[in-house]
Amino acid sequence: MHGSPALHRTAACPIVLTASERERLKKMAYGHKTEHRLRQRAQVVLYAARGRSNARIARETGLQVETVRTWRDRFAGNRLPALSDRKRSGRPASFAPLQRAKVKALACQLPAESGTPLSRRSASELAREVIARAIVDTISASTVRRWLVQDAIKPWQHRSWIFISDPGFRLKAARVLALYTRAWDGEPLGADEYVISADEKTSIQARCRCHPTPRPRAGQGGAGQPHLRARRSTGLPGRLRRPPGQGVRPLRADHRHRPVHEPGHPGHEPRTLPSAKRVFWIVDNGSSHRGKAAAARLTTGFPNAVLVHTPVRASWLNQVEVYFSAVQRKALSPDDFTDLCQVGNRLRAFEDRYNATAQPFQWKFTTSNLDDLLARLDRHAADRPEECLPRRAA
């Protein structure tokens, strides 16, 4: 053999992936939110698992052969964690771990506990308070925000909740959910039995804007001037029948609560389904159809009607609320009406348009989800009993 001696080359490390590793690597290699460097490293490992050589992988990925060999060897030694960057010395830390812990502990406290006249804190307000308490000499709001994001702490956000107050919540909710699957007392409903969700959307106001609403333009959405002139308000009774999901009239222009058996109430429809064996009316606990007396009045007038109440403070179980949400989003907001007649015309036209293409709602909350929810609430009550006790007035 003439010339310089041939260099000794070691064989490429064989890569064999488990099913979970392959799934993780595919998400890294083809995910839209994956960093470019991690995407390249994941592609190298996936190609190597197919038995390709380092030179071929380098050509297909546009990397150097040494780079391909490096990440192939690192993965073979330490698997998925090896694809991350190794820790570097870098600049010395500006803050001690104890200081970081104190900042996070302060973010988890209510402002009122320290006498701060705020209902919630922003990152900049936390930074100022940290400096005022001499936890650190100086710190920026972005540093505070970055520390809190690491532990998913968001003191500037606020959510409200309602604890279950109805002792029969599980039984009442299960009855409603069973009706959505066309079952009652464990027995399937017949073809001549119907389920109707009914409620009324109150306080629909006829308000007109002081200035005309401009049309949307290129690069700019619709806009509206916030000053309004209030006219009158109305209410929209609505009903949904399963199947299909449909909203029906009428519209009334007064504020008087009508009993469930009186015309004008959403639960009153004397000519609806006269040949039905049973009609189940799902309603909430509004004042016009609350309690056993309302059920008795309805049954007296219509023997084939069965009034089914949702649990107290659980009107979200009534599917008609989904329709009311569509009415609010698509027909009423933003509002710009000169009188109640215009409101009524809009609602009736929207109803006809909606019913023309109405489909049954894809209701996914089942009794299994209900049991999971109640179990989570029980665990929360056991872990934090102080949050579940009602506060007494001073």
Side-chain angles (χ1 to χ4, degrees):
M1 186 175 184
H2 301 283
S4 59
L7 296 177
H8 176 70
R9 295 186 179 181
T10 59
C13 295
I15 301 296
V16 179
L17 301 176
T18 63
S20 60
E21 288 177 337
R22 188 179 299 277
E23 185 68 22
R24 290 273 307 274
L25 287 169
K26 285 183 177 180
K27 290 183 178 179
M28 291 173 60
Y30 306 110
H32 296 292
K33 297 183 179 180
T34 307
E35 297 181 23
H36 180 68
R37 55 184 176 179
L38 293 178
R39 182 180 301 179
Q40 286 185 324
R41 296 167 191 175
Q43 290 175 353
V44 167
V45 177
L46 288 174
Y47 287 146
R50 299 176 186 175
R52 299 182 183 179
S53 64
N54 291 338
R56 181 178 175 183
I57 296 175
R59 290 194 304 268
E60 294 180 355
T61 59
L63 300 173
Q64 298 294 327
V65 176
E66 289 299 327
T67 303
V68 173
R69 183 179 295 112
T70 296
W71 293 111
R72 185 171 191 159
D73 293 344
R74 287 190 185 182
F75 182 86
N78 294 316
R79 312 307 291 180
L80 282 172
L83 297 184
S84 302
D85 290 340
R86 292 176 177 176
K87 292 185 178 181
R88 303 172 183 176
S89 56
R91 187 181 65 179
S94 303
F95 303 97
L98 180 59
Q99 291 175 317
R100 298 164 67 104
K102 288 183 177 180
V103 172
K104 294 179 181 179
L106 178 62
C108 293
Q109 295 178 0
L110 295 176
E113 296 177 359
S114 59
T116 305
L118 296 173
S119 59
R120 68 185 82 176
R121 297 187 184 97
S122 64
S124 58
E125 290 164 341
L126 277 170
R128 287 194 296 268
E129 189 167 349
V130 165
I131 297 173
R133 294 189 178 204
I135 297 177
V136 298
D137 295 331
T138 179
I139 191 173
S140 65
S142 60
T143 300
V144 173
R145 186 180 296 107
R146 186 171 64 253
W147 290 355
L148 299 183
V149 168
Q150 292 174 357
D151 289 339
I153 302 174
K154 303 175 182 179
W156 46 84
Q157 292 188 0
H158 176 77
R159 294 191 305 173
S160 60
W161 75 92
I162 298 177
F163 278 104
I164 294 175
S165 58
D166 192 333
F169 184 91
R170 172 64 175 81
L171 177 62
K172 295 179 181 178
R175 293 171 66 187
V176 173
L177 296 176
L179 284 174
Y180 291 156
T181 62
R182 294 196 57 78
W184 179 256
D185 290 339
E187 298 293 334
L189 299 184
D192 56 347
E193 295 178 305
Y194 296 86
V195 178
I196 296 179
S197 296
D199 200 3
E200 53 188 344
K201 181 176 176 59
T202 59
S203 300
I204 301 176
Q205 295 187 351
R207 302 185 301 177
C208 66
R209 300 186 181 273
C210 299
H211 302 280
T213 301
R215 298 177 180 178
R217 295 179 294 178
Q220 182 178 355
Q225 206 269 348
H227 297 291
L228 298 165
R229 295 192 183 96
R231 303 300 186 184
R232 290 183 62 193
S233 63
T234 184
L236 173 65
R239 311 176 192 90
L240 293 176
R241 190 178 74 186
R242 288 185 60 87
Q246 289 186 340
V248 296
R249 295 175 191 146
L251 174 76
R252 61 182 176 84
D254 59 56
H255 305 278
R256 186 166 66 91
H257 291 288
R258 299 171 183 264
V260 69
H261 66 286
E262 184 178 335
H265 186 277
H268 177 85
E269 196 171 0
R271 289 177 302 217
T272 296
L273 313 176
S275 60
K277 179 181 178 181
R278 284 185 299 183
V279 181
F280 296 91
W281 290 92
I282 300 176
V283 296
D284 59 12
N285 292 272
S287 59
S288 59
H289 44 256
R290 180 190 305 158
K292 297 180 180 179
R297 288 195 303 267
L298 182 64
T299 305
T300 301
F302 311 101
N304 64 338
V306 180
L307 196 64
V308 182
H309 288 96
T310 63
V312 177
R313 295 182 178 178
S315 58
W316 53 271
L317 285 172
N318 197 335
Q319 287 194 17
V320 75
E321 299 295 342
V322 183
Y323 174 71
F324 285 161
S325 174
V327 170
Q328 183 66 40
R329 289 182 287 106
K330 297 184 178 182
L332 298 178
S333 296
D335 51 350
D336 190 2
F337 303 103
T338 57
D339 52 32
L340 286 181
C341 182
Q342 190 177 9
V343 176
N345 293 337
R346 169 72 64 83
L347 291 174
R348 293 185 181 95
F350 174 80
E351 177 193 318
D352 295 337
R353 177 187 177 92
Y354 184 90
N355 286 342
T357 58
Q359 297 292 331
F361 296 137
Q362 299 299 319
W363 188 264
K364 298 181 180 180
F365 192 83
T366 63
T367 52
S368 298
N369 303 122
L370 175 65
D371 292 335
D372 293 340
L373 173 63
L374 296 178
R376 291 201 306 270
L377 291 176
D378 291 340
R379 290 194 298 268
H380 182 87
D383 296 339
R384 302 178 182 179
E386 69 281 356
E387 295 183 3
C388 304
L389 296 177
R391 299 179 63 179
R392 297 182 180 272

